[in-house]
Amino acid sequence: MSVSGEDTLPPRVAAGARSHGHRLVTYLLLLVLASGGLPGTGAQDGSRTAASRFPERQYGITMASWWVTGFSGSQAKTSLDELAATGAGWVAFVVTQYQRDARATEIGRTSGTVDDDDLVALIGRAHDLGLKVMLKPHVDLESDPSRNRSHIGNEFRNESRWRRWFESYTAFIVHYAVLAAENEVEQFVVGTELAGTSHREDDWRDVVDQVRNVYDGALTYAALDSEAADIEWWDALDLIGVDVYYVLSNAPSPSRNQLERGWQPYLRELANLAGKWDMPIVFTEIGYTSVAGTTTRPWDWNLSGPLDLKEQARAYQTALEVTADMPWFAGMYWWYWDPDLEVGGPRDRGYTPSCKPAGEVLREWYGGSGQAGCHG
C-alpha cells in the first residue's frame, strides 16, 4: 500500500476490549468457529486470518531490562504507566537467561535475568492499567562477543549436543510458560531469533507441545526477518512472529515516500508467507534508533552518526501507515521502552521513543494522553 500525503495520519485504530478476566483460548476458539472452521482451512492469501482470529490489532511496546532488579521498585512501575499513556493496548516483557557461548548446551540465570517476583508484579501492574501482555523470554550469550543467539547450534556436531540443548531450553521456556499461565498472560513467545536451531522441526514441535501442556493462551515464535520463510512448523503456533529490521533506504534521512517504497518488497514477502500458512503475522519486534541512517541499519544498536529524532519518527509513522490495511497484519511491538526513567528524551540516541517525536507519533496513532514518556 502506498500512502499519499506526507502529513496524513490514518484514523486511530480502536483499542478494543481490554478485559483479561476470561481465558484467551476460549475467545480464540469462538472466533475460529464463527469464521467457519479451524486454522488452515480458509483462503490461501492470509486475508481471513488476522481479521477473524485476531480482530484487535496488537499495537504494543516492549519493555526490557538486562539486570536482576530491572523490573523492581516504583521507577519501573512509573515507566510502565508512561508506556500505557501512549495509548498502546499491549506490552511485551522481555526476560533473558544465558548460555556461556554459542556452543554451550546449558541455559541458566545470571545477574542479567530479571527477578521472577518483579516480573509478576509488573504483569499485574500492566493488567491493572488495561494493557494486555505478551511474555517474550530470550536466550543470550554470556561471553561470546563475536556471536549472538542466532548462532546457537551452528557448531553442534552430534545428536547428544542437540538433545542436551533442547532439554535445557525446554526447562527454561516451560518455566516462563507456567509463570505466564499463572498470571493470565494473554500471549507467549516460545523462542526468539534462534535461527541456528529452527530447522530442527521435530524438536521445536516438541517444545511447543510442552508449552501447550502448561499454557493455554496464544503462541508465537519471534523469527529473524531473514529466518521466517524457512521455518516449517508455523502451523504448530497461532501467529507467525517476525522481528522486523528491514533495510528501508540507502542513505540517511529518507523521506516518507522513500520509506514507503522501501517497504513494498517486504510487504509482498510477508503477504506470501501469511498466505502460505493461512496465518496472521505479528511484528514481535520493530525498532529504530535516534541516529541518522537508522533506516539503513535498523538492527544496529551501535550505529554511528549524528542524533536524528526526525528519521526515527518518520520510520515509526511509515511503518504504521504501510501496515494499516494489510489483511494479514495482526500488530507490532516497538523496541523498546526502558524501565529506567533516565533513559529517553531529546538527547537519547537509542531505540526508545520515550519523550521523543516518535513517542508523539505513537500517542497520536494510539490515542494516548499527555506527552509520551515525558515525566517530571
Side-chain angles (χ1 to χ4, degrees):
M1 183 184 90
S2 177
V3 180
S4 61
E6 284 286 301
D7 297 318
T8 301
L9 275 173
R12 178 192 174 200
V13 178
R18 293 180 176 172
S19 170
H20 60 277
H22 59 281
R23 298 305 298 154
L24 182 59
V25 66
T26 304
Y27 175 58
L28 292 173
L29 180 59
L30 290 172
L31 287 171
V32 169
L33 294 174
S35 65
L38 294 172
T41 61
Q44 293 304 303
D45 63 357
S47 61
R48 177 182 61 82
T49 53
S52 62
R53 279 185 262 163
F54 295 88
E56 177 197 345
R57 287 275 173 88
Q58 297 178 26
Y59 285 122
I61 303 173
T62 297
M63 179 172 280
S65 178
W66 297 270
W67 188 242
V68 63
T69 59
F71 284 174
S72 67
S74 60
Q75 184 169 189
K77 292 183 176 64
T78 299
S79 184
L80 184 61
D81 293 349
E82 293 179 352
L83 182 156
T86 66
W90 289 72
V91 59
F93 289 122
V94 166
V95 56
T96 304
Q97 291 194 23
Y98 297 81
Q99 58 184 69
R100 185 184 66 256
D101 54 37
R103 298 181 68 251
T105 59
E106 296 298 323
I107 300 163
R109 294 175 176 274
T110 72
S111 60
T113 305
V114 298
D115 180 80
D116 280 359
D117 289 342
D118 293 336
L119 174 61
V120 167
L122 218 53
I123 290 169
R125 178 76 165 201
H127 283 153
D128 289 345
L129 291 167
L131 293 166
K132 293 182 179 179
V133 175
M134 180 173 79
L135 185 56
K136 189 169 184 272
H138 283 195
V139 173
D140 276 338
L141 308 182
E142 189 174 12
S143 56
D144 198 349
S146 66
R147 293 182 288 186
N148 57 54
R149 69 178 74 95
S150 71
H151 297 105
I152 294 170
N154 287 349
E155 298 181 42
F156 291 179
R157 303 304 183 201
N158 55 64
E159 286 299 310
S160 66
R161 294 188 69 83
W162 281 111
R163 185 182 67 256
R164 292 197 301 272
W165 187 84
F166 270 104
E167 285 174 353
S168 185
Y169 186 84
T170 301
F172 151 78
I173 203 68
V174 167
H175 167 77
Y176 287 109
V178 170
L179 184 149
E182 291 175 345
N183 293 278
E184 298 188 336
V185 167
E186 287 84 355
Q187 192 159 288
F188 188 77
V189 181
V190 300
T192 297
E193 298 178 355
L194 294 164
T197 75
S198 57
H199 66 284
R200 304 275 299 190
E201 180 180 349
D202 290 344
D203 289 323
W204 274 104
R205 288 185 182 276
D206 185 62
V207 169
V208 174
D209 287 345
Q210 295 300 318
V211 169
R212 289 204 187 274
N213 284 340
V214 299
Y215 174 78
D216 62 4
L219 296 183
T220 189
Y221 170 85
L224 289 168
D225 49 36
S226 58
E227 173 193 9
D230 295 327
I231 291 175
E232 295 295 334
W233 42 276
W234 286 122
D235 58 300
L237 303 169
D238 301 298
L239 303 96
I240 295 170
V242 185
D243 286 359
V244 170
Y245 294 97
Y246 297 127
V247 175
L248 299 177
S249 62
N250 296 318
S253 301
S255 68
R256 288 247 296 277
N257 286 336
Q258 289 173 315
L259 291 176
E260 288 166 11
R261 289 196 296 271
W263 266 101
Q264 298 313 306
Y266 305 121
L267 294 174
R268 289 192 290 271
E269 289 177 11
L270 292 164
N272 289 337
L273 182 63
K276 175 182 177 180
W277 293 97
D278 191 21
M279 292 180 73
I281 294 175
V282 62
F283 295 171
T284 37
E285 280 184 27
I286 181 172
Y288 304 93
T289 60
S290 303
V291 177
T294 185
T295 53
T296 70
R297 296 176 61 86
W299 65 86
D300 191 349
W301 62 271
N302 203 29
L303 183 67
S304 61
L307 179 75
D308 191 338
L309 302 177
K310 291 182 179 179
E311 184 171 350
Q312 183 192 41
R314 199 176 303 124
Y316 269 57
Q317 183 68 51
T318 307
L320 289 160
E321 287 179 344
V322 300
T323 56
D325 293 335
M326 296 295 107
W328 47 261
F329 181 64
M332 62 175 67
Y333 291 82
W334 292 101
W335 185 266
Y336 76 104
W337 197 280
D338 201 292
D340 184 347
L341 294 174
E342 298 302 315
V343 175
R347 291 185 295 276
D348 181 89
R349 295 167 53 87
Y351 283 96
T352 182
S354 175
C355 201
K356 297 178 183 178
E360 286 303 293
V361 170
L362 295 185
R363 184 187 64 80
E364 291 181 37
W365 190 279
Y366 298 160
S369 59
Q371 195 170 11
C374 291
H375 49 83

